[in-house]
Amino acid sequence: MAHIEYQLHAFDLDSKFGFADGNMFGSLLREKLGRLAPNKREVLVECVKRFLLPAIPRRVRTMVVAKGHNPIRLVDGETIDDVEDVTVGIKEKDVLHVALELLRRAKK
């Protein structure tokens, strides 16, 4: 069985089109969870907060963007030139764990 790993790159925080234009987990969620899948943008934001941001060696200020492309970006004036090469890998099962956790939270 193949172990799929998704790569979250710090430089994507600095792009309106980062994280595959905000659709990084869209196919995975549709394939594995179908109609039950939570919002792909919410899953992406949660994964960035849990996995990528803690891996960056300094605090990076981000904002969640309700509409548009990439849903989590740097706040205006924030730069990441010194840490843009930070990348973390997230296993498919960890992405699905986050998605299922968000589904449970939404049902409460």
Side-chain angles (χ1 to χ4, degrees):
M1 181 165 105
H3 295 283
I4 297 172
E5 185 173 274
Y6 292 86
Q7 302 292 310
L8 294 178
H9 305 284
F11 61 77
D12 279 325
L13 292 167
D14 199 24
S15 172
K16 176 180 180 180
F17 304 105
F19 303 111
D21 205 21
N23 194 31
M24 178 171 270
F25 303 131
S27 294
L28 170 67
L29 297 173
R30 275 191 309 278
E31 178 187 327
K32 300 292 183 176
L33 301 176
R35 284 193 223 154
L36 298 177
N39 183 295
K40 65 187 176 189
R41 296 167 57 83
E42 291 174 18
V43 174
L44 175 59
V45 168
E46 189 65 26
C47 285
V48 168
K49 288 179 178 179
R50 285 188 193 188
F51 302 107
L52 179 60
L53 295 181
I56 297 174
R58 66 172 176 82
R59 184 175 182 269
V60 176
R61 294 176 299 130
T62 60
M63 63 182 173
V64 175
V65 181
K67 295 190 181 208
H69 305 271
N70 176 8
I72 184 164
R73 301 180 213 160
L74 297 175
V75 298
D76 289 339
E78 180 74 78
T79 63
I80 59 164
D81 295 343
D82 59 324
V83 293
E84 71 180 5
D85 61 338
V86 173
T87 297
V88 295
I90 306 174
K91 293 181 176 125
E92 179 181 281
K93 70 179 184 74
D94 293 329
V95 174
L96 293 172
H97 177 79
V98 168
L100 292 171
E101 190 177 300
L102 291 174
L103 278 176
R104 284 191 296 274
R105 204 183 298 166
K107 289 182 180 180
K108 289 183 179 182

